[in-house]
Amino acid sequence: MSRWGEALGRGASAQFARVGRMRRALVILAAVACTAAALLYWRQQTDEGMHRPLHSLYAGVEPQWSWICQQDRCERFLASETNVLQSLPTCNMLCSSTQLWPQPTGRVSLATAAVPVRANGFSLHVIASPSSLVTEHLHEAFALFKEDLTKLERSAGSDSRRGDIGYTRNVLVHIFVNGTGDPRLRLDTDESYKLSLKPAGHNLVVDITAHSFPGARHGFETLSQIIWLDPYAGSLLILEAATINDAPKFSYRGLLLDTARNYFPVNEIIRTIDAMASCKLNTFHWHVSDSQSFPLKLDSAPQLAQYGAYGPGAIYTVEDVKAIVRRAKLRGIRVLIEVDAPAHVGRAWTWGPSAGLGHLAHCVELEPWSTWCGEPPCGQLNPKNPHVYELLERIYAEIIQLTGVDDIFHLGGDEVSERCWSQHFNDTDPMDLWLEFTKKAMHSLERANGGRAPEMTLLWSSRLTRTPYLEKLDKKRYGIHIWGASQWQESRAVLDAGYRSIISHVDAWYLDCGFGSWRDSSDGHCGPYRSWQQVYEHRPWIEEGPSLTAGMPGVEPASPWRIEGGATCQWTEQLGPGGLDARVWPRTAAVAERLWSDSNERAEADVYLRLDTHRTRMVARGVRAAPLWPRWCSHNPHQCL
Amino acid sequence: MQLISIGLIMLSAAVWELNIIVVLKSYVCYSLYLILCGETACFLSCIMAYIWPILVIATLHLAQCNQEENKLEDIQPYIYQPSWMYTCVPDEGCERSDQPEPTGNTTNPRRSQTYESLDLCRTVCGRFGGFWPKPITAVLSTQTVKIHPNFLRFDLVDVPAEARQLMIQMTQLVGPNLMAECNGNVTDLVETPVMVYISVKNAATTLTWDTDEQYMLDLKVKDGEISTHIVAETVFGARHALETFTQLVASTRPEYSNSNACSLRIVSGAKIRDRPVYKHRGFLLDSSRHFIPLVDIKRTLDGMASTKLNVFHWHVTDSHSFPLESSRVPQFTRYGAYSAEEIYTTEEVRGLVQYAKVRGIRMVIEIDSPAHAANGWQWGKDYGFGDLAVCVNAKPWRQLCIQPPCGQLNPANSNMYRYLKELYQDIADFLGETPLLHVGGDEVFINCWNSSQEIVTYMKNQGYDRNVEGFMQLWSEFHYKALEAWDDVTKSSLPVMIWSSELTQAHRIQNYLDKNRYIIEVWEPLSSPLETMLLRMGYRIVSVPKDIWYLDHGFWGMTKYSNWRRMYSHVLPNHDGVLGGEVAMWSEYVDENALDTRVWPRLAAVAERLWANPSGGVYGAETRLNRHRARLIARGLRPDAIAPQWCDQHDNRCL
């Protein structure tokens, strides 16, 4: 923690080395003084007297409680019983642990002193940028960052709000991006960043160094996490100094939202993307269509939404998608739109005959549904109709053009009903049909993507990703999105076979589990509810990694697992817009830290505290995240464990 | 049994019907009487009487226009497809069209029983239309007429003067609730008068377990006027009728429409006879584990009113926090609230009691004691009154309570009873006439009391053994003294509610708790025999089976989530001693952010169980519940979805 002070000392003495002895002595003395001063900034706050500077902000406020850091914990006292006033957020920020979420993976040192700032006191200086596009994105992302701060500033209760909080510091944010000139998040994007914050004269200076736009943006996010609202002062505070080196452990960190079972308005999606950004998730997997509805109104095939949407207002127009993609891009997030095929299609595909294209889909809404599919209504694309592939090409091309994501694509490809196809094509093995469909869809995708296959094309794990069909899928092209339970043999087999994989194990990261069945006839729904602790502690790459079987007799030496990352899945059979936030958050934030930091930590005291702080942060930004525990436990850190 | 009661209702209906005719015939006389009596409350009705002929002429004119009402829609802006049409298929429900059809398609004249709006289709389709909870008997027309809430008038001539002010407040909620169906903006202005004649017999304005909540509602379209006659014993019955009245209305705007145009239609004929099966239909909200802002409580009360729930059980304090302001003992909040802003002030509480009353809801305030009391009670020593509570915020907590923070009132300290009584005095002031107190009484941890030397000594002096039964004696002594304090405050001996506990075990309860004074709120799991045994002993109970009707279950430990189907399917014991049931929202893992999505629509499901106790299962209920869910959303709540929207649009296809 003292490094910064020492470095300053060394630098200073080097500069004056040539001068006479007296001066040198003086300089050394000054350097020592400098170091001591710096150390003072850094030292743990144990002396109550040091709270005084903040205390002066509290003039005229009579809060009920005061928190004092004792033995690395914030203890609550009646304000009247202590001569030190400190709010809970300030105590948490200045006491032992970092309040960062996700926890950075590199070196972190934080000051334990704070100074007041204003949202409009922040300014951006792009010192180095590889392209004007990146510069432009930096400015817009910075504007969003300031918007978040402003929101936080305004959330101060009117009671504690005071007109004059006195002298505030300005914060200059210097950005250095040396790397790719493409602001998009790519599979190979280096998302690491370095942040250093230190006082300079009357101002504070923040240096953020990154190799890409998304990396620099993560720097903004971290910066926003060392700024908080002190409710008693009614003012934003910032740590006075900090250095943070940070990079993610996994490159794909996602959330899947299903907008087909129930429709979610655009603003809900934007808010979800903002919430994702707050914990440095980087992939919004948009399961946009399913057999129940097709809300995506594409210019290339408007009939799909016309026949498939729940109503004229339950659609996403091209403008809507652009707005979502734009927002996501500025938040360092890729939008991965999945139009599930060949199964999970419905009424949207029934206009073929009237348009002279023949049957695009079979078994649509066929009864009894339980014979033909996993949940009502049924429907499956017609693999022998060439128009299907032409349409898919058009759809894929428009999706790639709208999202700007061309290195990764999701074809869907789960839960094909063999019986449905057998009914129509009794001369062909449905599994062969499925394989053929997948290859043809892949060709459509290639053509849609200018003749190149994306670097990784995802398929849901299914019967097709099991032996003997798995071997027929090209490892260089396909990645497998594993949704099966972590204990299932086939979930492991895909990893052992060396496919690039995204993990969404149903037994850990399915957020829809635990709400019972929505139909009379079945209890086929997964359960129980996956608590945030379970979500957080799920580390299949450690728990069941290939090393466990290595050397066991009869087990072939497996190739190393290629896990690109993971995603929580929010299927929405039993979720509408009203409950979205509380269902998704804070559980998806827990996954975010697992995928970013992947520390050995289980859901322990420190994780509770930091997640609780992060949840408060999200609520201040308008996300209705569910609480972790009773409010008293937030007020009395460590006492509910 | 049921036959007899239905027979009785029909009989009384017949008698009341005669009354209505009399009322109608002597309408003018009544109006004159009104003018003479000059009560401000009757002002509206007086005006109605004067402008009567004009309205009739206006509506006659409108009735002619009704045939061509689609004309206006031609000039609407282009609307993106699809727009589905819904057809009411008898015994099946509302069926979505196969093809998306253009909105306002004039070339295809509106077939009867085909609707653009699913809500409207639901309102007329099926025996119980869009009602939630379903009435005992209802006969509905399949036709609808257009209305505008601005032309809604209430005739309260037949409401006793003492109850009229309350009735007026109740009627004032109808218009906004109708407007909400159109998101606050009914663009289609029709001037058809909508008259609601309310007749109430009893002047009572206090809701108790004896309140008669039954009502009759008859709606007819006659001479261009929509006249609704509501007859009820009490204003609370009449309020339920008004709630039912709003459920006869739906907007014509298709769901997910992107157009602003919206009109309302009401079923053009209805005859409803209705009364609740259970007297106590409650919802418990815990505002101690998390402070729930007033606005969110009010929204919850709005939802409760829409489902005819009638008890708001406010678990306002617990060991975690004490947000209820006491004017007599300000220390409670000063030492117990999460912050100075997170307090229910006395004015707010009084306002809330009234807010609930206007919605037909009785407020029960629970001060949990002697356990579940800590923060808010820790000031005794500072003020020289000794420890009012013991083990407050004790560390480590596991030995001394069920969850942190620990704390139990100190029964050895007479000052504790003094301040408890002051608090009761405040509560009695809040609740007004016939106040209902819940004394808590659950989960006393013997270890906690046993760890206090003061209490152990006190027990010795009282001659209690230092064993389980000794502590039971101490515990019951607490309740005895607490009840005494409450009786002193109310100057009467009203029954109070208490949780089931060790003290209410079958072999103990009769020694400690008087069955005429205590209503036992049983929160045992379904498998427990306690409920049956208490009923056999003659206790009155309120049932809250925790493994079914606890909304926090399924999110912690080994508990299991109950979805609405499971909650709805649970039937209470058929016994006179069962006053009713409650659904409990403990707030360890819920604050205002997650409140609605946890509570709704599951609470609505239980509301129908308690109101109608229907014999049918979830099969026939789902479409109506979906309609009610839409209604809750219109009224500003955020209920969970219960199935994919596709299932809502395709009745009975997702079984």
Side-chain angles (χ1 to χ4, degrees):
Chain A
M1 275 205 301
S2 59
R3 260 189 207 181
W4 175 61
E6 283 165 358
L8 194 72
R10 269 200 306 278
S13 32
Q15 203 178 347
F16 292 96
R18 276 167 270 113
V19 200
R21 260 188 194 184
M22 276 293 280
R23 275 194 186 172
R24 195 177 301 169
L26 267 173
V27 164
I28 290 168
L29 231 142
V32 168
C34 253
T35 314
L39 275 169
L40 270 172
Y41 277 126
W42 292 104
R43 88 184 151 39
Q44 285 296 326
Q45 152 198 28
T46 43
D47 176 6
E48 293 177 4
M50 280 311 290
H51 298 266
R52 290 276 147 68
L54 280 182
H55 197 168
S56 66
L57 292 173
Y58 294 168
V61 186
E62 278 185 53
Q64 190 146 3
W65 304 105
S66 181
W67 281 266
I68 295 168
C69 183
Q70 291 183 341
Q71 292 161 352
D72 292 348
R73 295 175 178 197
C74 289
E75 300 266 357
R76 187 175 82 163
F77 295 91
L78 269 178
S80 52
E81 281 176 358
T82 151
N83 54 357
V84 177
L85 268 186
Q86 183 167 249
S87 67
L88 176 63
T90 300
C91 185
N92 276 337
M93 289 302 294
L94 303 182
C95 204
S96 65
S97 156
T98 86
Q99 296 296 304
L100 303 175
W101 192 274
Q103 187 77 285
T105 52
R107 201 168 55 81
V108 178
S109 54
L110 302 175
T112 51
V115 289
V117 285
R118 281 206 178 89
N120 59 17
F122 283 76
S123 54
L124 178 73
H125 300 270
V126 180
I127 310 288
S129 163
S131 70
S132 58
L133 207 52
V134 166
T135 310
E136 181 196 311
H137 276 73
L138 286 170
H139 280 285
E140 289 193 48
F142 190 73
L144 286 179
F145 158 82
K146 279 179 76 172
E147 232 172 74
D148 289 340
L149 287 188
T150 310
K151 219 180 258 177
L152 187 63
E153 203 166 46
R154 291 207 184 114
S155 70
S158 55
D159 293 345
S160 57
R161 191 72 170 281
R162 292 164 58 244
D164 178 29
I165 54 163
Y167 174 71
T168 59
R169 308 273 191 103
N170 287 329
V171 184
L172 311 174
V173 182
H174 293 160
I175 293 274
F176 308 78
V177 180
N178 51 7
T180 172
D182 186 347
R184 289 178 297 173
L185 181 84
R186 316 285 294 166
L187 273 169
D188 58 0
T189 296
D190 180 348
E191 293 177 90
S192 67
Y193 67 93
K194 284 183 192 146
L195 181 150
S196 90
L197 159 69
K198 48 183 175 281
H202 292 301
N203 296 331
L204 295 174
V205 172
V206 181
D207 289 325
I208 294 175
T209 314
H211 302 295
S212 66
F213 164 71
R217 192 220 69 88
H218 294 326
F220 293 154
E221 206 62 57
T222 303
L223 179 58
S224 80
Q225 296 190 357
I226 54 174
I227 301 165
W228 68 98
L229 177 79
D230 186 301
Y232 297 171
S235 158
L236 295 183
L237 299 182
I238 187 170
L239 291 183
E240 206 173 27
T243 51
I244 296 164
N245 287 355
D246 199 6
K249 290 279 173 68
F250 288 95
S251 64
Y252 183 109
R253 304 179 306 279
L255 162 68
L256 174 148
L257 180 66
D258 163 10
T259 60
R261 271 55 178 257
N262 275 297
Y263 176 80
F264 292 80
V266 174
N267 62 339
E268 301 269 332
I269 294 178
I270 299 247
R271 194 178 63 246
T272 301
I273 281 171
D274 288 349
M276 287 174 67
S278 78
C279 41
K280 303 193 178 82
L281 288 166
N282 68 3
T283 305
F284 176 64
H285 178 172
W286 191 357
H287 183 86
V288 72
S289 71
D290 213 294
S291 60
Q292 284 90 348
S293 81
F294 197 112
L296 184 64
K297 191 204 166 194
L298 294 167
D299 287 342
S300 55
Q303 300 92 330
L304 292 169
Q306 177 168 351
Y307 281 75
Y310 287 134
I315 56 162
Y316 304 106
T317 64
V318 167
E319 285 68 39
D320 292 338
V321 177
K322 280 181 183 159
I324 289 166
V325 167
R326 180 78 189 156
R327 182 68 157 219
K329 202 170 168 195
L330 293 176
R331 295 292 200 182
I333 293 170
R334 70 164 72 85
V335 176
L336 186 63
I337 294 183
E338 175 204 350
V339 171
D340 207 347
H344 288 279
V345 303
R347 191 79 69 90
W349 296 84
T350 54
W351 48 276
S354 61
L357 301 179
H359 283 288
L360 300 171
H362 287 306
C363 316
V364 174
E365 299 183 8
L366 203 57
E367 301 274 1
W369 62 266
S370 51
T371 312
W372 310 105
C373 60
E375 77 179 34
C378 298
Q380 220 152 274
L381 291 181
N382 176 358
K384 295 208 169 170
N385 184 343
H387 296 300
V388 167
Y389 303 101
E390 285 160 23
L391 264 171
L392 285 177
E393 185 187 329
R394 270 150 63 187
I395 294 167
Y396 293 162
E398 190 168 356
I399 286 176
I400 290 170
Q401 178 248 319
L402 280 173
T403 60
V405 178
D406 57 9
D407 56 339
I408 174 168
F409 203 84
H410 206 303
L411 287 177
D414 59 328
E415 298 184 317
V416 166
S417 157
E418 292 161 39
R419 194 183 289 190
C420 165
W421 276 349
S422 309
Q423 183 78 357
H424 290 272
F425 313 106
N426 51 11
D427 55 336
T428 324
D429 178 357
M431 288 308 294
D432 290 342
L433 279 177
W434 189 356
L435 199 62
E436 193 187 313
F437 172 88
T438 307
K439 291 194 165 151
K440 284 187 178 167
M442 189 71 194
H443 284 306
S444 298
L445 176 59
E446 271 175 43
R447 284 196 297 275
N449 194 31
R452 279 172 298 108
E455 190 186 329
M456 180 166 76
T457 301
L458 290 168
L459 289 174
W460 285 108
S461 58
S462 64
R463 189 161 171 215
L464 199 68
T465 64
R466 275 195 247 169
T467 311
Y469 310 104
L470 177 65
E471 289 71 20
K472 295 177 184 165
L473 299 172
D474 183 357
K475 261 178 225 178
K476 291 200 186 85
R477 296 181 156 204
Y478 292 101
I480 312 298
H481 194 165
I482 301 172
W483 70 270
S486 46
Q487 303 304 325
W488 292 1
Q489 195 48 48
E490 58 261 41
S491 302
R492 279 194 60 107
V494 169
L495 292 166
D496 286 340
Y499 282 86
R500 296 174 84 170
S501 303
I502 308 296
I503 304 282
S504 289
H505 288 146
V506 59
D507 53 337
W509 289 350
Y510 264 37
L511 304 180
D512 60 318
C513 292
F515 292 87
S517 173
W518 47 276
R519 301 184 300 267
D520 267 354
S521 55
S522 106
D523 52 2
H525 259 73
C526 54
Y529 180 80
R530 322 303 189 209
S531 68
W532 74 261
Q533 293 94 330
Q534 258 176 294
V535 163
Y536 185 81
E537 291 177 354
H538 188 59
R539 297 176 79 194
W541 46 90
I542 299 296
E543 291 151 14
E544 308 139 28
S547 56
L548 292 183
T549 51
M552 276 167 68
V555 179
E556 274 180 56
S559 48
W561 287 7
R562 296 168 73 197
I563 298 174
E564 300 290 326
T568 50
C569 293
Q570 183 59 70
W571 304 103
T572 58
E573 280 91 348
Q574 300 184 82
L575 183 71
L580 177 64
D581 291 11
R583 193 72 63 84
V584 172
W585 309 104
R587 292 189 291 163
T588 298
V591 165
E593 174 156 302
R594 174 53 56 215
L595 292 169
W596 180 281
S597 322
D598 194 30
S599 75
N600 293 321
E601 232 176 346
R602 299 178 68 80
E604 287 156 6
D606 174 61
V607 177
Y608 269 85
L609 268 187
R610 286 186 299 106
L611 186 55
D612 196 31
T613 299
H614 191 64
R615 186 248 169 192
T616 314
R617 219 173 258 144
M618 295 178 87
V619 170
R621 290 190 191 176
V623 179
R624 300 177 169 276
L628 307 183
W629 52 12
R631 183 78 183 285
W632 187 87
C633 303
S634 302
H635 269 201
N636 296 273
H638 293 280
Q639 290 197 24
C640 290
L641 296 163
Chain B
M1 183 71 191
Q2 220 164 5
L3 270 177
I4 295 170
S5 54
I6 289 175
L8 273 175
I9 288 181
M10 285 312 195
L11 194 71
S12 53
V15 175
W16 286 2
E17 197 117 41
L18 269 173
N19 280 349
I20 293 167
I21 295 165
V22 173
V23 168
L24 269 177
K25 279 188 181 166
S26 53
Y27 181 76
V28 181
C29 308
Y30 270 104
S31 306
L32 280 173
Y33 162 72
L34 260 181
I35 295 157
L36 290 174
C37 83
E39 283 209 34
T40 47
C42 317
F43 192 61
L44 261 181
S45 316
C46 295
I47 290 181
M48 265 314 301
Y50 277 122
I51 62 170
W52 178 260
I54 305 164
L55 281 181
V56 171
I57 291 164
T59 36
L60 276 176
H61 178 67
L62 270 168
Q64 287 176 323
C65 299
N66 253 358
Q67 307 295 321
E68 310 161 317
E69 66 198 15
N70 279 336
K71 262 194 177 167
L72 264 180
E73 290 167 6
D74 292 344
I75 53 166
Q76 278 172 6
Y78 171 72
I79 292 169
Y80 175 71
Q81 308 308 331
S83 287
W84 305 101
M85 303 289 281
Y86 296 89
T87 311
C88 175
V89 181
D91 302 326
E92 285 290 323
C94 293
E95 220 163 68
R96 196 175 85 170
S97 53
D98 286 338
Q99 301 289 319
E101 293 177 33
T103 308
N105 185 348
T106 46
T107 58
N108 179 15
R110 179 178 289 168
R111 283 167 286 158
S112 68
Q113 306 288 37
T114 298
Y115 310 88
E116 283 168 23
S117 144
L118 179 58
D119 281 351
L120 188 60
C121 180
R122 291 228 186 289
T123 302
V124 295
C125 200
R127 195 167 145 224
F128 291 105
F131 292 131
W132 193 276
K134 75 173 172 190
I136 300 294
T137 64
V139 182
L140 294 180
S141 160
T142 54
Q143 302 299 310
T144 57
V145 282
K146 217 175 254 188
I147 60 164
H148 194 286
N150 286 3
F151 294 86
L152 186 62
R153 298 287 180 269
F154 297 92
D155 182 329
L156 307 183
V157 177
D158 276 345
V159 178
E162 299 88 332
R164 207 167 283 153
Q165 190 54 42
L166 181 57
M167 195 69 239
I168 288 172
Q169 285 176 288
M170 288 167 165
T171 59
Q172 282 164 351
L173 301 178
V174 177
N177 278 341
L178 294 185
M179 291 296 255
E181 292 290 315
C182 269
N183 206 7
N185 188 11
V186 182
T187 55
D188 201 352
L189 198 70
V190 285
E191 298 181 352
T192 318
V194 183
M195 285 298 304
V196 181
Y197 305 91
I198 300 178
S199 162
V200 170
K201 292 181 181 160
N202 189 316
T205 57
T206 311
L207 189 61
T208 68
W209 286 309
D210 300 323
T211 301
D212 185 338
E213 294 176 281
Q214 70 172 310
Y215 67 90
M216 300 194 295
L217 185 152
D218 292 271
L219 185 149
K220 288 190 189 78
V221 178
K222 207 172 57 184
D223 305 332
E225 180 196 273
I226 299 158
S227 68
T228 307
H229 290 271
I230 289 171
V231 181
E233 192 68 26
T234 64
V235 285
F236 298 102
R239 192 216 73 87
H240 293 323
L242 293 175
E243 204 62 58
T244 302
F245 174 77
T246 65
Q247 300 191 354
L248 291 166
V249 179
S251 93
T252 58
R253 179 162 55 186
E255 19 142 42
Y256 295 126
S257 165
N258 45 15
S259 137
N260 284 327
C262 189
S263 60
L264 292 179
R265 297 188 78 90
I266 190 166
V267 173
S268 64
K271 195 178 184 73
I272 295 156
R273 305 289 175 263
D274 200 9
R275 64 180 175 89
V277 172
Y278 291 103
K279 309 179 215 298
H280 187 106
R281 306 180 303 280
F283 171 63
L284 174 149
L285 182 65
D286 167 5
S287 64
S288 176
R289 270 61 176 250
H290 276 103
F291 178 83
I292 310 290
L294 209 61
V295 55
D296 299 282
I297 296 181
K298 286 185 172 173
R299 191 176 63 249
T300 305
L301 289 169
D302 292 345
M304 287 176 67
S306 77
T307 52
K308 301 193 177 78
L309 287 165
N310 70 352
V311 176
F312 180 69
H313 174 169
W314 196 5
H315 183 88
V316 66
T317 69
D318 208 294
S319 59
H320 300 71
S321 76
F322 201 117
L324 182 73
E325 187 182 54
S326 158
S327 52
R328 291 174 175 81
V329 193
Q331 290 94 326
F332 284 133
T333 44
R334 199 178 298 152
Y335 284 74
Y338 285 126
S339 76
E341 287 89 55
E342 287 159 296
I343 286 174
Y344 305 107
T345 66
T346 52
E347 298 80 50
E348 284 171 343
V349 176
R350 267 193 215 101
L352 200 63
V353 170
Q354 186 60 23
Y355 189 92
K357 190 181 199 173
V358 172
R359 283 154 185 80
I361 299 166
R362 182 184 197 186
M363 175 92 81
V364 182
I365 293 183
E366 175 187 352
I367 301 299
D368 206 347
S369 61
H372 289 282
N375 288 284
W377 288 93
Q378 71 277 47
W379 46 274
K381 273 239 169 80
D382 296 356
Y383 287 75
F385 299 123
D387 280 327
L388 301 175
V390 292
C391 350
V392 174
N393 299 345
K395 289 177 269 189
W397 56 270
R398 276 169 224 279
Q399 298 303 314
L400 299 172
C401 58
I402 197 102
Q403 63 168 222
C406 297
Q408 258 165 232
L409 295 183
N410 178 3
N413 184 348
S414 58
N415 288 318
M416 182 272 289
Y417 290 106
R418 183 175 140 202
Y419 289 105
L420 188 64
K421 187 173 170 182
E422 305 256 299
L423 179 61
Y424 284 171
Q425 183 71 58
D426 278 310
I427 288 169
D429 290 351
F430 290 144
L431 295 179
E433 218 180 309
T434 335
L436 177 54
L437 175 74
H438 195 306
V439 297
D442 60 326
E443 298 186 318
V444 168
F445 233 67
I446 288 175
N447 276 352
C448 166
W449 276 347
N450 198 20
S451 72
S452 156
Q453 193 51 49
E454 184 186 357
I455 292 174
V456 172
T457 312
Y458 175 82
M459 286 176 69
K460 204 171 176 186
N461 294 341
Q462 293 292 103
Y464 300 152
D465 295 336
R466 198 172 167 184
N467 59 18
V468 173
E469 286 313 313
F471 280 102
M472 291 298 146
Q473 282 173 299
L474 179 66
W475 183 356
S476 71
E477 178 197 295
F478 169 84
H479 284 306
Y480 179 81
K481 289 185 175 171
L483 188 61
E484 209 173 46
W486 177 244
D487 287 350
D488 266 4
V489 161
T490 59
K491 307 275 183 295
S492 58
S493 42
L494 300 165
V496 297
M497 292 179 72
I498 192 167
W499 289 109
S500 62
S501 65
E502 275 303 304
L503 202 62
T504 68
Q505 290 305 311
H507 63 282
R508 289 205 185 97
I509 186 167
Q510 283 171 309
N511 301 333
Y512 297 128
L513 302 170
D514 180 355
K515 63 176 162 238
N516 296 315
R517 298 305 310 281
Y518 289 97
I519 312 288
I520 317 295
E521 181 158 15
V522 183
W523 59 288
E524 300 275 306
L526 277 187
S527 55
S528 158
L530 181 65
E531 200 162 86
T532 328
M533 293 164 92
L534 291 178
L535 288 171
R536 209 173 291 151
M537 285 185 270
Y539 283 90
R540 285 171 294 170
I541 64 153
V542 169
S543 185
V544 195
K546 66 172 174 181
D547 45 352
I548 300 267
W549 285 359
Y550 265 27
L551 297 173
D552 62 320
H553 277 205
F555 297 92
W556 57 273
M558 301 300 289
T559 56
K560 192 181 171 206
Y561 180 88
S562 297
N563 64 8
W564 79 270
R565 293 164 187 278
R566 196 153 170 260
M567 294 182 76
Y568 186 84
S569 303
H570 176 61
V571 179
L572 297 185
N574 184 13
H575 192 290
D576 285 344
V578 180
L579 295 180
E582 286 184 6
V583 172
M585 182 74 264
W586 301 104
S587 64
E588 278 92 344
Y589 304 102
V590 157
D591 60 6
E592 73 269 26
N593 292 296
L595 181 67
D596 283 24
T597 175
R598 286 280 205 293
V599 173
W600 304 101
R602 293 191 288 163
L603 176 55
V606 175
E608 175 155 304
R609 174 57 56 205
L610 293 171
W611 176 274
N613 201 21
S615 49
V618 293
Y619 176 77
E622 186 162 352
T623 56
R624 285 184 298 105
L625 184 59
N626 262 322
R627 170 70 189 105
H628 195 68
R629 180 176 172 266
R631 197 174 284 133
L632 290 171
I633 292 172
R635 295 186 189 182
L637 286 88
R638 295 185 293 268
D640 259 357
I642 58 174
Q645 181 71 27
W646 188 89
C647 301
D648 191 18
Q649 293 183 342
H650 297 78
D651 282 358
N652 301 331
R653 297 279 298 278
C654 289
L655 303 173

